[in-house]
Coordinates of all heavy atoms in Angstrom, one line a residue:
M138 N 12.1 -54.9 -60.7 CA 10.9 -55.4 -61.5 C 9.6 -55.6 -60.7 O 9.7 -56.1 -59.6 CB 11.4 -56.8 -62.1 CG 10.5 -57.3 -63.1 SD 10.5 -56.5 -64.6 CE 9.2 -57.2 -65.4
L139 N 8.6 -55.2 -61.3 CA 7.4 -55.4 -60.5 C 6.7 -56.7 -60.7 O 6.8 -57.3 -61.9 CB 6.3 -54.3 -61.1 CG 6.8 -52.9 -60.8 CD1 5.9 -51.9 -61.5 CD2 7.0 -52.5 -59.4
T140 N 6.1 -57.2 -59.7 CA 5.4 -58.6 -59.9 C 4.1 -58.4 -60.3 O 3.4 -57.4 -60.1 CB 5.5 -59.3 -58.5 OG1 4.8 -58.5 -57.5 CG2 6.9 -59.7 -58.0
P141 N 3.6 -59.3 -61.1 CA 2.2 -59.2 -61.7 C 1.2 -59.1 -60.5 O 1.3 -59.7 -59.4 CB 2.0 -60.4 -62.5 CG 3.3 -60.9 -62.8 CD 4.2 -60.5 -61.6
G142 N 0.1 -58.4 -60.8 CA -1.0 -58.3 -59.8 C -2.0 -59.4 -59.7 O -1.8 -60.4 -60.5
L143 N -2.9 -59.5 -58.8 CA -3.9 -60.6 -58.8 C -5.0 -60.2 -59.7 O -5.4 -59.0 -59.7 CB -4.3 -60.6 -57.3 CG -3.2 -61.0 -56.2 CD1 -3.8 -60.9 -54.9 CD2 -2.7 -62.4 -56.5
A144 N -5.6 -61.1 -60.3 CA -6.8 -60.8 -61.2 C -7.9 -60.4 -60.3 O -8.7 -59.5 -60.5 CB -7.1 -62.0 -62.0
S145 N -8.1 -61.1 -59.2 CA -9.1 -60.7 -58.2 C -8.6 -61.1 -56.8 O -8.3 -62.2 -56.6 CB -10.5 -61.3 -58.5 OG -10.3 -62.8 -58.4
A146 N -8.7 -60.1 -55.9 CA -8.1 -60.3 -54.7 C -9.3 -60.9 -53.7 O -10.3 -60.4 -53.8 CB -7.5 -59.1 -54.1
S147 N -8.9 -61.8 -52.8 CA -10.0 -62.4 -52.1 C -9.9 -62.1 -50.6 O -10.7 -62.6 -49.8 CB -10.1 -63.9 -52.4 OG -8.7 -64.5 -52.0
S148 N -8.9 -61.4 -50.2 CA -8.7 -61.1 -48.7 C -8.3 -59.6 -48.6 O -7.7 -59.1 -49.5 CB -7.8 -62.1 -48.1 OG -6.4 -61.8 -48.6
D149 N -8.3 -59.2 -47.3 CA -7.8 -57.9 -47.1 C -6.4 -57.7 -47.3 O -5.8 -56.8 -47.8 CB -8.1 -57.4 -45.6 CG -9.6 -57.3 -45.3 OD1 -10.3 -57.0 -46.3 OD2 -9.9 -57.2 -44.1
D150 N -5.6 -58.8 -47.0 CA -4.1 -58.8 -47.3 C -3.9 -58.8 -48.8 O -2.9 -58.1 -49.2 CB -3.5 -60.0 -46.7 CG -3.4 -60.0 -45.2 OD1 -3.6 -58.9 -44.6 OD2 -3.2 -61.0 -44.5
A151 N -4.6 -59.5 -49.6 CA -4.5 -59.4 -51.0 C -4.8 -58.0 -51.6 O -4.0 -57.5 -52.5 CB -5.3 -60.5 -51.6
W152 N -5.8 -57.4 -51.1 CA -6.2 -56.2 -51.6 C -5.1 -55.1 -51.2 O -4.7 -54.3 -52.0 CB -7.5 -55.6 -51.0 CG -8.7 -56.2 -51.7 CD1 -9.6 -57.0 -51.1 CD2 -9.1 -56.1 -53.0 NE1 -10.5 -57.5 -52.0 CE2 -10.2 -56.9 -53.2 CE3 -8.5 -55.4 -54.2 CZ2 -10.9 -57.0 -54.4 CZ3 -9.2 -55.6 -55.4 CH2 -10.4 -56.3 -55.5
E153 N -4.4 -55.1 -50.0 CA -3.4 -54.3 -49.6 C -2.2 -54.5 -50.5 O -1.5 -53.5 -50.8 CB -3.2 -54.5 -48.1 CG -2.0 -53.5 -47.6 CD -2.5 -52.1 -47.6 OE1 -3.7 -51.7 -47.8 OE2 -1.5 -51.3 -47.6
A154 N -1.9 -55.9 -50.7 CA -0.7 -56.0 -51.5 C -0.8 -55.5 -53.0 O 0.0 -54.9 -53.5 CB -0.4 -57.6 -51.7
L155 N -2.1 -55.6 -53.5 CA -2.4 -55.0 -54.8 C -2.3 -53.5 -54.7 O -1.7 -52.9 -55.6 CB -3.8 -55.3 -55.3 CG -4.2 -54.7 -56.5 CD1 -3.2 -55.0 -57.8 CD2 -5.7 -55.2 -57.0
R156 N -2.7 -52.8 -53.6 CA -2.7 -51.4 -53.5 C -1.2 -51.0 -53.4 O -0.9 -50.0 -54.1 CB -3.4 -51.0 -52.2 CG -3.3 -49.5 -51.9 CD -4.0 -49.3 -50.5 NE -4.1 -47.9 -50.2 CZ -4.7 -46.9 -50.8 NH1 -5.7 -47.2 -51.6 NH2 -4.6 -45.6 -50.4
L157 N -0.4 -51.7 -52.7 CA 1.0 -51.3 -52.7 C 1.7 -51.4 -54.0 O 2.5 -50.5 -54.4 CB 1.7 -52.1 -51.6 CG 1.3 -51.8 -50.2 CD1 2.0 -52.8 -49.2 CD2 1.5 -50.4 -49.7
R158 N 1.3 -52.5 -54.8 CA 2.0 -52.6 -56.1 C 1.6 -51.6 -57.0 O 2.3 -50.9 -57.8 CB 1.6 -54.1 -56.7 CG 2.5 -55.2 -56.1 CD 2.2 -56.5 -56.9 NE 0.8 -56.9 -57.1 CZ 0.2 -57.6 -56.2 NH1 0.7 -57.9 -55.1 NH2 -1.0 -57.9 -56.4
L159 N 0.2 -51.1 -56.9 CA -0.4 -50.1 -57.7 C 0.3 -48.7 -57.5 O 0.8 -48.1 -58.4 CB -1.9 -50.0 -57.4 CG -2.6 -48.7 -58.0 CD1 -2.6 -48.8 -59.6 CD2 -4.0 -48.8 -57.5
I160 N 0.5 -48.4 -56.2 CA 1.2 -47.2 -55.8 C 2.6 -47.2 -56.3 O 3.1 -46.2 -56.9 CB 1.1 -46.9 -54.3 CG1 -0.4 -46.7 -53.9 CG2 2.0 -45.9 -53.9 CD1 -0.7 -46.7 -52.4
E161 N 3.3 -48.3 -56.1 CA 4.7 -48.4 -56.5 C 4.8 -48.2 -58.1 O 5.6 -47.4 -58.5 CB 5.3 -49.7 -56.2 CG 6.7 -49.9 -56.6 CD 7.4 -51.2 -56.1 OE1 6.6 -52.1 -55.5 OE2 8.5 -51.5 -56.5
A162 N 4.0 -48.9 -58.8 CA 4.0 -48.9 -60.2 C 3.7 -47.5 -60.7 O 4.3 -47.0 -61.7 CB 3.1 -49.9 -60.9
C163 N 2.6 -46.9 -60.1 CA 2.3 -45.6 -60.7 C 3.2 -44.5 -60.4 O 3.5 -43.6 -61.1 CB 0.8 -45.2 -60.2 SG -0.4 -46.3 -60.9
D164 N 3.8 -44.5 -59.2 CA 4.8 -43.6 -58.8 C 6.0 -43.8 -59.7 O 6.5 -42.8 -60.2 CB 5.2 -43.9 -57.4 CG 6.2 -42.9 -56.9 OD1 5.8 -41.8 -56.5 OD2 7.3 -43.2 -56.7
E165 N 6.5 -44.9 -60.0 CA 7.6 -45.2 -60.9 C 7.3 -44.7 -62.3 O 8.1 -44.0 -62.9 CB 7.8 -46.7 -61.1 CG 9.0 -47.0 -62.0 CD 9.3 -48.6 -62.0 OE1 9.2 -49.2 -61.0 OE2 9.6 -49.0 -63.1
A166 N 6.1 -44.9 -62.8 CA 5.7 -44.3 -64.1 C 5.7 -42.8 -64.2 O 6.2 -42.1 -65.0 CB 4.3 -44.8 -64.5
A167 N 5.2 -42.1 -63.1 CA 5.1 -40.7 -62.9 C 6.6 -40.1 -62.8 O 6.9 -39.2 -63.5 CB 4.3 -40.3 -61.8
R168 N 7.4 -40.8 -62.0 CA 8.7 -40.4 -61.9 C 9.6 -40.4 -63.2 O 10.5 -39.6 -63.5 CB 9.5 -41.0 -60.8 CG 8.9 -40.7 -59.4 CD 9.7 -41.0 -58.3 NE 9.0 -40.7 -57.0 CZ 8.7 -39.6 -56.5 NH1 9.1 -38.4 -57.1 NH2 8.0 -39.4 -55.4
T169 N 9.3 -41.4 -64.0 CA 9.9 -41.6 -65.3 C 9.5 -40.4 -66.2 O 10.3 -39.8 -66.9 CB 9.5 -42.9 -65.9 OG1 10.1 -43.9 -65.1 CG2 10.2 -43.0 -67.4
A170 N 8.1 -40.0 -66.2 CA 7.6 -39.0 -67.0 C 8.0 -37.6 -66.5 O 8.2 -36.6 -67.4 CB 6.1 -39.0 -67.0
A171 N 8.1 -37.4 -65.2 CA 8.5 -36.1 -64.6 C 9.4 -36.3 -63.5 O 9.0 -36.1 -62.3 CB 7.2 -35.4 -64.2
P172 N 10.7 -36.5 -63.7 CA 11.6 -36.9 -62.6 C 11.8 -35.7 -61.6 O 12.1 -36.0 -60.4 CB 12.9 -37.2 -63.3 CG 12.7 -36.8 -64.7 CD 11.3 -36.6 -65.0
E173 N 11.5 -34.5 -62.0 CA 11.8 -33.3 -61.1 C 10.5 -32.9 -60.3 O 10.5 -32.1 -59.5 CB 12.4 -32.2 -61.8 CG 11.3 -31.4 -62.7 CD 10.7 -32.1 -63.9 OE1 11.2 -33.3 -64.3 OE2 9.7 -31.7 -64.5
A174 N 9.4 -33.5 -60.6 CA 8.1 -33.1 -59.9 C 7.8 -33.8 -58.6 O 8.3 -34.9 -58.3 CB 7.0 -33.5 -60.9
G175 N 7.1 -33.2 -57.9 CA 6.4 -33.7 -56.7 C 5.3 -34.7 -57.1 O 4.6 -34.2 -58.0
I176 N 5.2 -35.8 -56.5 CA 4.2 -36.8 -57.0 C 3.3 -37.3 -55.8 O 3.8 -37.6 -54.9 CB 4.8 -37.9 -57.8 CG1 5.5 -37.4 -59.0 CG2 3.9 -39.0 -58.1 CD1 6.5 -38.4 -59.7
A177 N 2.0 -37.3 -56.1 CA 1.1 -37.9 -55.1 C 0.2 -38.9 -55.9 O -0.3 -38.6 -56.9 CB 0.3 -36.9 -54.5
V178 N 0.1 -40.2 -55.4 CA -0.6 -41.2 -56.0 C -1.8 -41.5 -55.1 O -1.7 -41.9 -54.0 CB 0.2 -42.5 -56.2 CG1 -0.6 -43.6 -56.9 CG2 1.5 -42.2 -57.1
H179 N -3.0 -41.4 -55.7 CA -4.2 -41.7 -55.0 C -4.9 -42.9 -55.6 O -5.5 -43.0 -56.7 CB -5.3 -40.5 -55.1 CG -4.6 -39.2 -54.7 ND1 -4.7 -38.9 -53.4 CD2 -4.0 -38.2 -55.3 CE1 -4.0 -37.7 -53.2 NE2 -3.6 -37.3 -54.4
A180 N -4.7 -44.1 -54.9 CA -5.0 -45.4 -55.4 C -6.5 -45.8 -55.2 O -7.1 -45.5 -54.3 CB -4.1 -46.5 -54.7
N181 N -6.9 -46.5 -56.3 CA -8.2 -47.3 -56.2 C -7.9 -48.7 -56.7 O -8.0 -49.0 -57.8 CB -9.2 -46.5 -57.1 CG -10.6 -47.3 -57.0 OD1 -10.7 -48.4 -56.7 ND2 -11.6 -46.7 -57.5
E182 N -7.4 -49.5 -55.8 CA -7.0 -50.9 -56.1 C -8.2 -51.7 -56.5 O -8.1 -52.7 -57.3 CB -6.3 -51.6 -55.0 CG -7.1 -51.9 -53.7 CD -7.1 -50.6 -52.8 OE1 -6.8 -49.4 -53.1 OE2 -7.5 -50.8 -51.6
F183 N -9.4 -51.3 -56.2 CA -10.6 -52.1 -56.6 C -10.9 -51.8 -58.1 O -11.3 -52.8 -58.8 CB -11.8 -51.8 -55.7 CG -11.6 -51.9 -54.3 CD1 -11.4 -50.8 -53.4 CD2 -11.3 -53.1 -53.7 CE1 -11.1 -50.9 -52.1 CE2 -11.0 -53.3 -52.3 CZ -10.9 -52.2 -51.5
G184 N -10.8 -50.7 -58.6 CA -10.9 -50.3 -60.0 C -12.0 -51.1 -60.7 O -13.2 -51.0 -60.3
T185 N -11.6 -51.8 -61.7 CA -12.6 -52.7 -62.5 C -12.1 -54.1 -62.3 O -11.1 -54.3 -61.6 CB -12.5 -52.2 -64.0 OG1 -11.2 -52.6 -64.5 CG2 -12.7 -50.7 -64.2
E186 N -12.8 -55.0 -62.9 CA -12.5 -56.4 -62.8 C -11.0 -56.6 -63.2 O -10.5 -57.4 -62.5 CB -13.4 -57.3 -63.6 CG -13.2 -58.7 -63.5 CD -14.2 -59.5 -64.3 OE1 -15.2 -59.0 -64.7 OE2 -13.9 -60.7 -64.5
M187 N -10.6 -56.0 -64.3 CA -9.2 -56.4 -64.8 C -8.2 -55.3 -64.4 O -7.0 -55.5 -64.6 CB -9.4 -56.4 -66.3 CG -10.2 -57.6 -66.8 SD -9.6 -59.2 -66.1 CE -8.0 -59.4 -67.0
T188 N -8.6 -53.9 -64.1 CA -7.7 -52.9 -63.9 C -7.8 -52.2 -62.6 O -8.9 -51.8 -62.2 CB -8.0 -51.8 -65.0 OG1 -7.9 -52.6 -66.3 CG2 -6.9 -50.8 -65.0
A189 N -6.7 -52.0 -61.8 CA -6.6 -51.1 -60.7 C -6.2 -49.8 -61.3 O -5.6 -49.7 -62.4 CB -5.6 -51.6 -59.7
L190 N -6.6 -48.7 -60.6 CA -6.4 -47.4 -61.2 C -6.0 -46.4 -60.1 O -6.3 -46.6 -59.0 CB -7.5 -46.9 -62.1 CG -8.9 -46.9 -61.5 CD1 -9.3 -45.6 -61.0 CD2 -9.7 -47.4 -62.5
A191 N -5.3 -45.3 -60.5 CA -5.0 -44.3 -59.6 C -5.0 -42.9 -60.2 O -4.8 -42.8 -61.4 CB -3.6 -44.6 -59.0
L192 N -5.3 -41.9 -59.4 CA -5.1 -40.6 -59.8 C -3.7 -40.1 -59.5 O -3.3 -40.4 -58.3 CB -6.1 -39.7 -59.3 CG -7.6 -40.0 -59.6 CD1 -8.5 -39.0 -58.8 CD2 -7.8 -39.8 -61.1
V193 N -3.0 -39.5 -60.4 CA -1.6 -39.1 -60.1 C -1.5 -37.6 -60.3 O -1.8 -37.1 -61.4 CB -0.6 -39.8 -61.1 CG1 0.8 -39.3 -60.8 CG2 -0.7 -41.4 -60.9
V194 N -1.1 -37.0 -59.2 CA -0.9 -35.5 -59.3 C 0.5 -35.2 -59.2 O 1.2 -35.6 -58.3 CB -1.7 -34.9 -58.0 CG1 -1.5 -33.3 -58.0 CG2 -3.2 -35.2 -57.9
T195 N 0.9 -34.4 -60.2 CA 2.3 -34.0 -60.2 C 2.4 -32.4 -60.1 O 1.6 -31.8 -60.6 CB 3.1 -34.4 -61.5 OG1 2.4 -33.9 -62.7 CG2 3.1 -35.9 -61.7
T196 N 3.4 -32.0 -59.3 CA 3.7 -30.6 -59.1 C 5.0 -30.2 -59.5 O 5.9 -30.9 -58.9 CB 3.3 -30.2 -57.6 OG1 2.0 -30.7 -57.3 CG2 3.3 -28.8 -57.5
R197 N 5.2 -29.3 -60.4 CA 6.4 -28.9 -60.9 C 6.8 -27.5 -60.2 O 5.9 -26.7 -60.2 CB 6.6 -28.9 -62.3 CG 6.4 -30.3 -63.0 CD 6.3 -30.2 -64.4 NE 5.6 -31.3 -65.1 CZ 6.3 -32.1 -65.8 NH1 7.5 -32.1 -66.1 NH2 5.6 -33.2 -66.3
E198 N 8.0 -27.3 -60.0 CA 8.4 -26.0 -59.4 C 8.1 -24.9 -60.5 O 8.3 -25.1 -61.7 CB 10.0 -26.0 -59.1 CG 10.4 -24.8 -58.5 CD 11.8 -24.8 -58.0 OE1 12.3 -26.0 -57.7 OE2 12.5 -23.8 -58.0
G199 N 7.5 -23.8 -60.0 CA 7.2 -22.7 -60.9 C 5.8 -22.9 -61.7 O 5.4 -22.1 -62.4
Q200 N 5.1 -24.1 -61.5 CA 4.0 -24.2 -62.2 C 2.8 -23.7 -61.3 O 2.8 -23.9 -60.2 CB 3.8 -25.8 -62.3 CG 2.7 -26.4 -63.2 CD 2.7 -27.9 -63.3 OE1 3.5 -28.6 -62.5 NE2 2.1 -28.4 -64.2
E201 N 1.9 -23.1 -62.1 CA 0.8 -22.5 -61.3 C -0.2 -23.6 -60.7 O -0.6 -23.4 -59.5 CB -0.2 -21.6 -62.2 CG 0.4 -20.3 -62.5 CD -0.6 -19.4 -63.2 OE1 -1.8 -19.5 -63.0 OE2 -0.2 -18.7 -64.1
E202 N -0.6 -24.6 -61.4 CA -1.4 -25.6 -60.8 C -0.8 -27.0 -61.1 O 0.0 -27.2 -62.0 CB -2.7 -25.6 -61.6 CG -3.6 -24.4 -61.3 CD -5.0 -24.6 -61.9 OE1 -5.4 -25.6 -62.4 OE2 -5.7 -23.5 -61.7
P203 N -1.1 -28.0 -60.2 CA -0.7 -29.3 -60.4 C -1.3 -30.0 -61.6 O -2.3 -29.3 -62.1 CB -1.1 -30.0 -59.1 CG -2.0 -29.2 -58.4 CD -2.0 -27.8 -59.0
E204 N -0.7 -31.0 -62.1 CA -1.2 -31.7 -63.3 C -1.9 -33.0 -62.7 O -1.3 -33.7 -61.8 CB -0.2 -32.0 -64.2 CG 0.4 -30.9 -65.0 CD 1.5 -31.2 -65.9 OE1 2.3 -32.2 -65.7 OE2 1.7 -30.4 -66.9
L205 N -2.9 -33.5 -63.4 CA -3.6 -34.7 -63.1 C -3.5 -35.7 -64.2 O -4.0 -35.4 -65.3 CB -5.1 -34.3 -62.8 CG -6.0 -35.6 -62.4 CD1 -5.6 -36.2 -61.1 CD2 -7.6 -35.2 -62.3
S206 N -3.2 -36.8 -63.9 CA -3.2 -38.0 -64.8 C -3.9 -39.2 -64.3 O -4.1 -39.2 -63.1 CB -1.7 -38.4 -65.2 OG -0.9 -37.3 -65.8
V207 N -4.1 -40.1 -65.1 CA -4.7 -41.4 -64.6 C -3.7 -42.5 -64.8 O -3.1 -42.6 -65.9 CB -6.0 -41.7 -65.3 CG1 -6.5 -43.1 -65.0 CG2 -7.1 -40.6 -65.2
C208 N -3.5 -43.3 -63.9 CA -2.6 -44.5 -64.0 C -3.5 -45.8 -63.9 O -4.3 -46.0 -63.2 CB -1.6 -44.5 -62.9 SG -0.5 -45.8 -62.9
L209 N -3.3 -46.6 -65.0 CA -3.9 -47.9 -65.1 C -3.0 -49.0 -64.9 O -1.8 -49.0 -65.5 CB -4.5 -48.0 -66.6 CG -5.5 -46.9 -67.0 CD1 -5.8 -47.0 -68.5 CD2 -6.7 -46.8 -66.1
H210 N -3.4 -50.0 -64.1 CA -2.5 -51.1 -63.8 C -3.3 -52.4 -63.9 O -4.3 -52.7 -63.3 CB -2.1 -50.9 -62.2 CG -1.1 -52.0 -61.8 ND1 0.2 -52.1 -62.0 CD2 -1.4 -53.1 -61.0 CE1 0.7 -53.2 -61.4 NE2 -0.3 -53.7 -60.8
D211 N -2.8 -53.2 -64.9 CA -3.5 -54.5 -65.2 C -3.3 -55.5 -63.9 O -2.1 -55.8 -63.7 CB -3.0 -55.1 -66.5 CG -3.7 -56.3 -66.9 OD1 -3.7 -57.3 -66.2 OD2 -4.3 -56.3 -68.0
K212 N -4.4 -55.8 -63.4 CA -4.4 -56.8 -62.2 C -3.7 -58.1 -62.5 O -3.1 -58.7 -61.6 CB -5.7 -56.9 -61.6 CG -6.3 -55.7 -61.0 CD -7.8 -55.9 -60.5 CE -8.4 -54.7 -60.1 NZ -9.8 -55.0 -59.5
R213 N -3.8 -58.6 -63.7 CA -3.3 -59.9 -64.1 C -1.9 -59.9 -64.5 O -1.1 -60.6 -64.0 CB -4.2 -60.5 -65.2 CG -3.8 -61.9 -65.6 CD -4.8 -62.4 -66.8 NE -4.9 -61.5 -67.9 CZ -3.9 -61.4 -68.9 NH1 -2.8 -62.1 -68.9 NH2 -4.1 -60.6 -69.8
T214 N -1.5 -58.9 -65.3 CA -0.1 -58.9 -65.8 C 0.8 -57.9 -65.1 O 2.0 -58.1 -65.1 CB -0.1 -58.5 -67.4 OG1 -0.5 -57.1 -67.4 CG2 -0.9 -59.4 -68.1
G215 N 0.3 -57.0 -64.4 CA 1.0 -55.9 -63.9 C 1.5 -54.8 -64.7 O 2.2 -53.8 -64.3
A216 N 1.2 -54.8 -66.0 CA 1.4 -53.8 -66.9 C 0.7 -52.5 -66.4 O -0.4 -52.4 -66.0 CB 1.0 -54.1 -68.3
T217 N 1.6 -51.4 -66.6 CA 1.1 -50.1 -66.0 C 1.2 -49.0 -67.1 O 2.2 -49.0 -67.8 CB 1.8 -49.7 -64.8 OG1 1.7 -50.7 -63.8 CG2 1.4 -48.4 -64.2
E218 N 0.2 -48.2 -67.2 CA 0.2 -47.1 -68.1 C -0.1 -45.8 -67.4 O -1.1 -45.8 -66.6 CB -0.8 -47.3 -69.3 CG -0.4 -48.4 -70.3 CD -1.4 -48.5 -71.4 OE1 -2.5 -49.1 -71.2 OE2 -1.1 -47.9 -72.5
L219 N 0.5 -44.7 -67.9 CA 0.2 -43.3 -67.3 C -0.4 -42.5 -68.4 O 0.3 -42.4 -69.5 CB 1.4 -42.7 -66.6 CG 1.2 -41.4 -66.0 CD1 0.3 -41.6 -64.7 CD2 2.5 -40.8 -65.7
S220 N -1.6 -42.0 -68.2 CA -2.1 -41.1 -69.2 C -1.3 -39.8 -69.3 O -0.5 -39.4 -68.4 CB -3.6 -40.8 -69.0 OG -3.7 -39.7 -67.9
A221 N -1.5 -39.1 -70.4 CA -1.1 -37.6 -70.4 C -1.9 -36.8 -69.5 O -3.0 -37.3 -69.2 CB -1.3 -37.2 -71.9
P222 N -1.3 -35.8 -69.0 CA -2.0 -34.9 -68.1 C -3.3 -34.4 -68.6 O -3.4 -34.0 -69.8 CB -1.1 -33.8 -67.6 CG 0.2 -34.3 -68.0 CD 0.1 -35.2 -69.2
F223 N -4.3 -34.1 -67.8 CA -5.6 -33.5 -68.2 C -5.1 -32.0 -68.7 O -4.2 -31.5 -68.1 CB -6.6 -33.4 -67.1 CG -7.3 -34.7 -67.0 CD1 -6.7 -35.8 -66.3 CD2 -8.6 -34.9 -67.5 CE1 -7.3 -37.0 -66.2 CE2 -9.2 -36.1 -67.3 CZ -8.7 -37.2 -66.7
A224 N -5.9 -31.4 -69.6 CA -5.5 -30.0 -70.0 C -5.6 -29.1 -68.8 O -4.8 -28.2 -68.8 CB -6.4 -29.6 -71.2
E225 N -6.5 -29.2 -68.0 CA -6.6 -28.4 -66.8 C -7.1 -29.3 -65.6 O -7.8 -30.2 -65.8 CB -7.6 -27.3 -67.0 CG -9.0 -27.5 -67.5 CD -9.7 -26.3 -67.8 OE1 -9.2 -25.5 -68.8 OE2 -10.7 -26.1 -67.2
M226 N -6.8 -28.9 -64.4 CA -7.1 -29.5 -63.2 C -8.7 -29.3 -63.0 O -9.1 -28.1 -63.0 CB -6.4 -29.0 -62.0 CG -6.4 -29.8 -60.7 SD -5.6 -31.4 -61.0 CE -5.0 -31.6 -59.3
P227 N -9.5 -30.4 -62.7 CA -10.9 -30.3 -62.6 C -11.2 -29.6 -61.2 O -10.4 -29.8 -60.3 CB -11.4 -31.7 -62.7 CG -10.2 -32.5 -62.3 CD -9.1 -31.8 -62.8
D228 N -12.2 -28.9 -61.2 CA -12.7 -28.2 -59.9 C -13.6 -29.4 -59.3 O -14.7 -29.5 -59.5 CB -13.6 -27.0 -60.2 CG -14.1 -26.5 -59.0 OD1 -13.7 -26.9 -57.9 OD2 -15.0 -25.6 -59.1
L229 N -13.0 -30.1 -58.3 CA -13.8 -31.3 -57.7 C -14.8 -30.7 -56.7 O -15.8 -31.4 -56.4 CB -12.8 -32.2 -57.0 CG -11.8 -32.9 -57.9 CD1 -10.8 -33.8 -57.0 CD2 -12.5 -33.7 -59.0
A230 N -14.7 -29.4 -56.3 CA -15.6 -28.8 -55.4 C -17.0 -28.7 -56.1 O -18.1 -28.6 -55.6 CB -15.2 -27.5 -54.9
G231 N -16.9 -28.6 -57.5 CA -18.2 -28.4 -58.2 C -18.6 -29.7 -58.9 O -19.4 -29.7 -59.8
A232 N -18.2 -30.8 -58.3 CA -18.6 -32.1 -58.8 C -20.1 -32.2 -58.8 O -20.8 -31.8 -57.8 CB -18.0 -33.2 -57.9
G233 N -20.6 -32.9 -59.9 CA -22.0 -33.1 -60.0 C -22.7 -31.9 -60.8 O -23.9 -32.1 -61.2
H234 N -21.9 -30.9 -61.1 CA -22.5 -29.8 -62.0 C -21.9 -30.1 -63.4 O -20.7 -30.1 -63.5 CB -22.1 -28.4 -61.4 CG -22.6 -28.2 -60.0 ND1 -23.8 -27.9 -59.7 CD2 -22.0 -28.3 -58.9 CE1 -24.0 -27.7 -58.5 NE2 -22.9 -28.0 -57.9
A235 N -22.8 -30.1 -64.3 CA -22.4 -30.2 -65.7 C -21.6 -29.0 -66.1 O -21.9 -27.9 -65.7 CB -23.6 -30.3 -66.6
G236 N -20.5 -29.2 -66.8 CA -19.6 -28.1 -67.3 C -19.6 -28.1 -68.8 O -20.0 -29.0 -69.4
P237 N -18.8 -27.2 -69.3 CA -18.7 -27.1 -70.9 C -17.8 -28.2 -71.4 O -17.0 -28.8 -70.7 CB -18.0 -25.8 -71.1 CG -17.5 -25.3 -69.7 CD -18.1 -26.1 -68.7

């Protein structure tokens, strides 16, 4: 069982604890959704006032490209949600350029 997060962390130790809870919760959500996939969680524990978030990249055997999802973790309650994967992996090298 995951313990609830902090609404706002006030020390480096508290931020690190939130980061670890975020990674654990998002990894668990991703493994539930895709148990056979390789999973990488890129955490942003600062997120918003109420929500820590992470980018979750899943790679399945035989898949051409990895899938990208967003994981939301309520800092107060610890509730975690994983989005459906984006339709296609964004080209981050082209960041800042408007696309279709």
Side-chain angles (χ1 to χ4, degrees):
M138 184 73 189
L139 301 174
T140 56
L143 302 172
S145 64
S147 59
S148 70
D149 289 343
D150 289 343
W152 284 117
E153 182 61 19
L155 175 57
R156 178 180 180 76
L157 294 175
R158 284 193 304 277
L159 171 63
I160 291 169
E161 180 182 358
C163 293
D164 185 75
E165 182 179 319
R168 290 196 188 286
T169 298
E173 76 291 349
I176 296 169
V178 177
H179 304 277
N181 178 345
E182 65 274 18
F183 306 110
T185 68
E186 184 176 344
M187 298 300 294
T188 306
L190 49 106
L192 297 177
V193 177
V194 180
T195 56
T196 307
R197 300 172 199 247
E198 189 173 326
Q200 190 175 14
E201 275 189 42
E202 290 190 7
E204 293 178 330
L205 176 66
S206 299
V207 176
C208 181
L209 304 171
H210 180 77
D211 188 294
K212 293 178 182 178
R213 185 178 50 81
T214 68
T217 302
E218 292 183 275
L219 183 67
S220 76
F223 284 78
E225 55 186 61
M226 192 70 147
D228 175 14
L229 298 178
H234 300 281

